[in-house]
Amino acid sequence: MNWWRRLQKNPLARFGAVVLLIFYMAVIAADFIAPYNPYASQPNGSLLPPTRIYWVDKTSGKFIGPHIYPTTQGDTNLETGDRQLIVDYTKPSPVRFFVSGAEYRLFQLSLPLPSTWEKTTILPGIRAKKSRLFRLSVPLPAKWDDFTIIPGIPLNWHLFGADGEAKINILGTDEPGRDQLSRLLYGGRISLFIGIIGVIFTFPLGLLIGGISGYFGGLTDSIIMRVAEVLMTFPSIYLLVTLGAVLPSGLSSSQRFLLIVLITSVISWAGLARVIRGQVLSIKEREFVQAARAMGGKPIYIIIRHVLPQTATYIIISATLAVPSFIGSEAILSLIGLGIQQPDPSWGNMLSLASNASILVLQPWLIWPPALLIIVTVLAFNLLGDGLRDALDPRSLQR
């Protein structure tokens, strides 16, 4: 456990781990922490700035504790773009913890899964009399449905809120009048877990293909490495844009999320496979691998049981550093309108408003929170990955 002690002594790695722990716990419990439904619009609440919390009653001048006042949107100055806010100071609403609100199911888990399949022609083949030569048809999902895996706990309590007519919007509201903080918490589920799910799909594929290539060598190695080199030549940004454009338009955000992760993972294994292949070339000549081979072990068993576990140090570090790339991919796709679609929230499509220069000046609260969260998350993963690399480096451990 020397590596664990070394990791604990690294303040930057500890900071990254704590930040990520807080972020993941917050998005998992977003139903409880978020004050409002992320899809619900507030009447006359379009583009409201962050709610100001008062401690002294505006009408009587007495101290009544933290409270807010009902705020609605007024007229807009067409010359300057400033929006008039109408605040009713006669109706103070106290701010409290653990208030009742919209019902939800805590820890509910639903996954998009294919419900019906249909045979789709991939290659039309060559017409020959009454048949077609080399025709290829495969069954593909024709319809997707969200299936509930974990039903969750029905609750209506929220971490904080306001008692009364006023709405507490800590980070303001967007153009349809939806609470920004609630949308950030719900959107973090996609933006944070897309990296975890991407690593779960990508790394086993890269491990197995790289292990087979390095262990068998020869023609098998040459074919696999040439395919990997071809995949690595594709520019990632153009590949993501093409991927987002070819997806069917009728898919829900959860279905697009799953397909983007699956296709990106299938394409992203090449770099990992090349590194694993190089490590396997040296590991397969060691005594314990030769002994397993002499005792009649099958190649796949030897690769999975004896060879690949020796690459665990590199895999752990690489997986930690690979998660930010998936988060960035989702943000890029959503930023250009090809990822998660409105009204479903994600940090990427919330950041897409940055393309409007007037919003950067007049409503900056719509841009800075998702941008800051993406930056901090990527930085935290990199700090944790660097800490793991220093703690697990065999040469550092020997010293």
Side-chain angles (χ1 to χ4, degrees):
M1 297 295 289
N2 288 333
W3 68 270
W4 177 250
R5 298 191 190 96
R6 292 171 62 86
L7 184 64
Q8 288 180 321
K9 293 179 181 179
N10 189 327
L12 294 178
R14 289 204 313 269
F15 171 77
V18 170
V19 168
L20 292 176
L21 180 62
I22 293 173
F23 281 6
Y24 276 96
M25 290 179 63
V27 300
I28 290 173
D31 305 272
F32 170 68
I33 299 175
Y36 305 109
N37 188 323
Y39 301 98
S41 299
Q42 301 176 13
N44 297 322
S46 175
L47 297 176
L48 294 178
T51 302
R52 180 180 176 183
I53 298 177
Y54 298 86
W55 295 81
V56 178
D57 189 1
K58 281 287 188 178
T59 57
S60 64
K62 296 180 180 180
F63 177 84
I64 60 174
H67 64 281
I68 59 176
Y69 297 98
T71 305
T72 55
Q73 173 190 346
D75 297 331
T76 303
N77 190 325
L78 298 180
E79 295 182 358
T80 63
D82 293 334
R83 292 176 178 267
Q84 179 186 2
L85 297 180
I86 302 173
V87 183
D88 187 357
Y89 290 111
T90 62
K91 299 178 180 178
S93 300
V95 177
R96 294 195 175 99
F97 287 104
F98 304 106
V99 298
S100 61
E103 294 185 358
Y104 59 89
R105 286 187 171 270
L106 189 63
F107 305 129
Q108 184 181 26
L109 177 62
S110 298
L111 295 177
L113 298 174
S115 57
T116 59
W117 298 73
E118 66 179 12
K119 185 172 288 188
T120 303
T121 300
I122 304 300
L123 295 177
I126 304 172
R127 183 180 295 277
K129 296 183 179 180
K130 296 183 180 181
S131 61
R132 285 182 178 269
L133 296 175
F134 309 112
R135 182 170 184 168
L136 176 62
S137 297
V138 296
L140 293 176
K143 183 180 179 182
W144 295 68
D145 290 321
D146 288 338
F147 290 89
T148 300
I149 308 300
I150 301 176
I153 306 170
L155 293 172
N156 66 346
W157 286 96
H158 296 263
L159 179 62
F160 66 95
D163 285 341
E165 299 182 10
K167 302 289 186 181
I168 180 169
N169 307 119
I170 293 180
L171 297 178
T173 62
D174 59 5
E175 189 170 0
R178 299 169 300 200
D179 181 59
Q180 276 289 95
L181 176 61
S182 301
R183 292 182 63 78
L184 278 174
L185 289 169
Y186 279 86
R189 291 178 172 178
I190 291 178
S191 298
L192 289 177
F193 282 99
I194 193 170
I196 301 297
I197 297 177
V199 166
I200 291 175
F201 282 110
T202 301
F203 273 62
L205 186 61
L207 272 172
L208 185 60
I209 295 177
I212 292 174
S213 176
Y215 185 83
F216 288 101
L219 181 61
T220 302
D221 181 30
S222 299
I223 294 175
I224 293 177
M225 287 300 102
R226 298 300 82 77
V227 173
E229 290 167 359
V230 170
L231 290 177
M232 293 175 67
T233 58
F234 291 126
S236 58
I237 180 62
Y238 298 110
L239 188 62
L240 289 174
V241 172
T242 305
L243 168 62
V246 300
L247 290 180
S249 58
L251 295 177
S252 67
S253 290
S254 58
Q255 294 164 5
R256 293 178 69 88
F257 166 77
L258 182 60
L259 287 177
I260 289 172
V261 171
L262 286 176
I263 300 175
T264 307
S265 301
V266 169
I267 297 172
S268 303
W269 59 265
L272 176 65
R274 284 182 61 87
V275 177
I276 296 300
R277 175 247 186 190
Q279 294 187 357
V280 171
L281 285 174
S282 61
I283 294 173
K284 72 176 184 179
E285 302 300 331
R286 295 184 181 178
E287 292 79 2
F288 62 90
V289 177
Q290 298 292 339
R293 186 182 302 152
M295 296 176 65
K298 295 182 179 180
I300 296 296
Y301 172 80
I302 296 175
I303 293 172
I304 296 176
R305 180 65 179 84
H306 297 287
V307 177
L308 293 183
Q310 301 300 314
T311 65
T313 299
Y314 172 79
I315 294 303
I316 294 173
I317 300 170
S318 182
T320 307
L321 298 175
V323 172
S325 64
F326 285 94
I327 297 176
S329 300
E330 184 276 327
I332 292 173
L333 281 177
S334 299
L335 181 63
I336 61 180
L338 297 176
I340 307 302
Q341 304 295 314
Q342 295 284 355
D344 295 316
S346 78
W347 292 349
N349 65 18
M350 294 178 71
L351 192 59
S352 63
L353 297 174
S355 58
N356 191 336
S358 63
I359 291 180
L360 288 172
V361 178
L362 300 175
Q363 291 90 29
W365 62 85
L366 299 177
I367 304 300
W368 295 115
L372 185 62
L373 286 175
I374 291 175
I375 293 172
V376 172
T377 302
V378 172
L379 178 62
F381 269 111
N382 287 331
L383 292 176
L384 179 59
D386 289 340
L388 286 172
R389 181 182 58 196
D390 295 338
L392 294 172
D393 187 1
R395 288 169 296 183
S396 298
L397 294 178
Q398 289 175 2
R399 290 195 298 268

